[in-house]
Amino acid sequence: MTEQTPVTDTKAVKVPTLPDAQTVTQVQHYTDRLFSFKCTRPASLRFRSGEFVMIGLMGDPHPETGKQKPLLRAYSIASPSWDEELEFYSIKVQDGPLTSKLQHIQPGDEIILRPKPVGTLVHDALIPGKRIWFFATGTGFAPFASLLREPQTYEDYDEVIITHTCREAGELTYGHDIIESLKTDELLNEVIGEGFWKKIKYYPTTTREESAKMGRITDLINSGEAYADLGVEPLNPDNDRAMICGNLAFNLELKDMLEAAGLEEGANSKPAQYVVEKAFLD
Ligand SMILES: Cc1cc2nc3c(=O)[nH]c(=O)nc-3n(C[C@H](O)[C@H](O)[C@H](O)COP(=O)(O)OP(=O)(O)OC[C@H]3O[C@@H](n4cnc5c(N)ncnc54)[C@H](O)[C@@H]3O)c2cc1C
Ligand SMILES: NC(=O)c1ccc[n+]([C@@H]2O[C@H](COP(=O)([O-])OP(=O)(O)OC[C@H]3O[C@@H](n4cnc5c(N)ncnc54)[C@H](OP(=O)(O)O)[C@@H]3O)[C@@H](O)[C@H]2O)c1
C-alpha cells in the first residue's frame, strides 16, 4: 500500500486579494452623502486615538497595460485605540475617485489599509488642562468619535465639550448616536466610573436646515450664545485645551478665535493648548 500525503485544506485559509487587505464587517448609511463602516484590524497596528491612516481600493485597470494601482485617501480612524475592529466615517462624493466606489462596499468586501497612523489630534500634543473642546464640522467628527471613546479623555479632563456643525439635521445622526452609545459603554463606565459621560457637553448645530440649534459654532461663540446655552465660562488659556477638525475656512476662523483668547497651537513635537487638522483637502 502506498503512503498517503495529507491533503491541505486550501478552503480554510482566505488569501487576501488586495495589498494590506482588511475585511469590511459592517456598513451603515446615514444620508445620501454620509456612511460609516467597520473592518478588521491588522494585528500589528498600534495607533493613538485621533490619528489617521491611508485607506482605499484598487483603482480602475490602466486602459493599455491593464495594471491596477491602489487608490488611497487619508481617513481618521473613528474607533478608539483599544477597539478590536477599526471604524471609519465617510463622505460620499458622487464623482470622487475613491468614495464614488467606496460607498458601495458591503460586509465581506476588502479594502486597502496602510498601517502607518499619523496626526496631530492626539492627547500627546496638548499640555494638561481642565476642560477640552472638540470642534467639528461635517466628517470632521470622525477623530472625535475616536477620542470620545478613549478613556484618557476623561482621565485628563473634568469637562469635555463637543461641538458639531453641519448643513442638515441628518448629518448629525452619526455623532448623536456615538454620544448616546457612551451612556451604556461598558468599558468606559467601568474604567472611568459609572456616569462618566456626565462630563460631556454635546452642542450640535445646523446651518441650512431647521434643528434644535441653528448657526455656525464660530458665530455662536463670538456672540456668547454658545457659552450661555452650555452654561460654561468663556475660553481661557489656563483651563482650556482644544482640538479642531473641519473645512479649511472653519479651521482658520477657529484658530484665530483661540489665538485671540490666548491659546497657543501645539504639535506632537511641541505640546501646547490647541491642535488642528483638516477634515478634507481643498
Ligand atoms: C487628514 C485627513 C483626514 C481625513 N479624514 C476623513 C474622514 O475621516 N472621512 C472622510 O470622509 N474624509 C476624510 N478625509 C478626506 C478624504 O481623504 C477624501 O478626500 C474623501 O474620502 C473623498 O475622496 P474622493 O477620492 O472620493 O474625492 P477627492 O478627490 O478626495 O475629493 C473631491 C472633493 O470632495 C470634497 N470632499 C472630500 N472629502 C470630503 C469630506 N470628508 N467632507 C466633505 N467634502 C469632502 C472636496 O471638495 C474635494 O475637493 C480626510 C482628509 C485628510 C487630509
Ligand atoms: N452638505 C450637503 O448637503 C452638500 C450637498 C451637496 C454638495 N455638498 C458639497 O460638499 C462639500 C462639503 O460640504 P459639507 O456640508 O460636508 O461641508 P462644509 O461645506 O464644510 O460645511 C459643513 C458645516 O460647516 C459650516 N462652515 C463652513 N465654513 C465655516 C466657517 N468658516 N466657520 C464656521 N462654520 C463653517 C457650514 O456652514 P454654512 O452652511 O453656513 O456654510 C456647515 O454647517 C461642499 O463643497 C459642498 O458644496 C454638500
Side-chain angles (χ1 to χ4, degrees):
M1 206 169 99
T2 50
E3 217 175 276
Q4 287 195 332
T5 20
V7 179
T8 314
D9 182 2
T10 49
K11 271 183 278 176
V13 184
K14 198 173 174 228
V15 181
T17 49
L18 297 174
D20 292 327
Q22 297 302 321
T23 306
V24 175
T25 57
Q26 210 178 304
V27 183
Q28 192 169 346
H29 292 268
Y30 298 92
T31 69
D32 59 353
R33 296 185 67 249
L34 292 168
F35 73 114
S36 72
F37 63 93
K38 293 186 180 181
C39 68
T40 52
R41 175 174 177 166
S44 61
L45 176 66
R46 296 280 173 275
F47 69 95
R48 294 175 296 172
S49 294
E51 288 188 311
F52 68 89
V53 284
M54 302 300 291
I55 66 167
L57 297 169
M58 288 307 271
D60 291 333
H62 187 278
E64 279 148 31
T65 62
K67 278 195 181 159
Q68 286 176 281
K69 277 197 202 153
L71 177 56
L72 301 171
R73 292 284 186 270
Y75 267 80
S76 295
I77 302 174
S79 45
S81 60
W82 52 263
D83 211 334
E84 280 173 17
E85 290 195 312
L86 297 175
E87 181 178 317
F88 297 96
Y89 180 48
S90 180
I91 193 78
K92 306 177 198 174
V93 183
Q94 292 318 328
D95 56 356
L98 178 65
T99 57
S100 57
K101 294 195 176 91
L102 193 69
Q103 62 182 285
H104 301 296
I105 52 167
Q106 302 277 353
D109 289 349
E110 286 176 343
I111 61 154
I112 304 168
L113 189 147
R114 295 272 192 258
K116 292 197 179 73
V118 285
T120 53
L121 302 180
V122 290
H123 284 306
D124 291 345
L126 296 176
I127 55 174
K130 291 203 170 77
R131 184 168 73 168
I132 188 154
W133 293 75
F134 295 144
F135 293 107
T137 64
T139 58
F141 191 89
F144 304 134
S146 174
L147 285 155
L148 283 164
R149 292 180 278 186
E150 166 57 55
Q152 193 184 346
T153 300
Y154 308 97
E155 285 162 359
D156 286 2
Y157 297 97
D158 300 336
E159 216 173 347
V160 178
I161 302 175
I162 164 82
T163 82
H164 192 195
T165 301
C166 293
R167 293 181 181 204
E168 295 170 11
E171 296 171 336
L172 296 169
T173 307
Y174 174 76
H176 174 268
D177 290 356
I178 296 278
I179 307 278
E180 277 301 302
S181 75
L182 292 172
K183 295 179 183 169
T184 53
D185 188 305
E186 281 182 25
L187 181 131
L188 288 170
N189 276 295
E190 196 185 314
V191 174
I192 308 300
E194 219 43 62
F196 80 93
W197 50 269
K198 290 180 189 146
K199 286 187 172 195
I200 303 170
K201 287 193 158 74
Y202 172 47
Y203 198 62
T205 76
T206 58
T207 50
R208 305 200 190 188
E209 189 186 34
E210 196 77 33
S211 73
K213 192 76 207 176
M214 301 278 302
R216 290 179 164 194
I217 187 63
T218 41
D219 296 338
L220 292 164
I221 285 185
N222 283 331
S223 69
E225 204 175 326
Y227 297 133
D229 288 341
L230 290 163
V232 300
E233 291 297 312
L235 285 157
N236 85 75
D238 296 334
N239 294 338
D240 286 305
R241 303 295 168 256
M243 297 195 189
I244 309 171
C245 190
N247 70 66
L248 181 61
F250 167 77
N251 286 4
L252 293 175
E253 216 172 308
L254 253 178
K255 248 170 88 100
D256 285 349
M257 288 167 57
L258 295 183
E259 296 274 345
L263 279 78
E264 276 176 28
E265 185 169 3
N268 277 291
S269 54
K270 192 176 173 289
Q273 287 141 324
Y274 77 91
V275 281
V276 58
E277 198 160 81
K278 277 189 247 176
F280 55 91
L281 292 178
D282 247 353

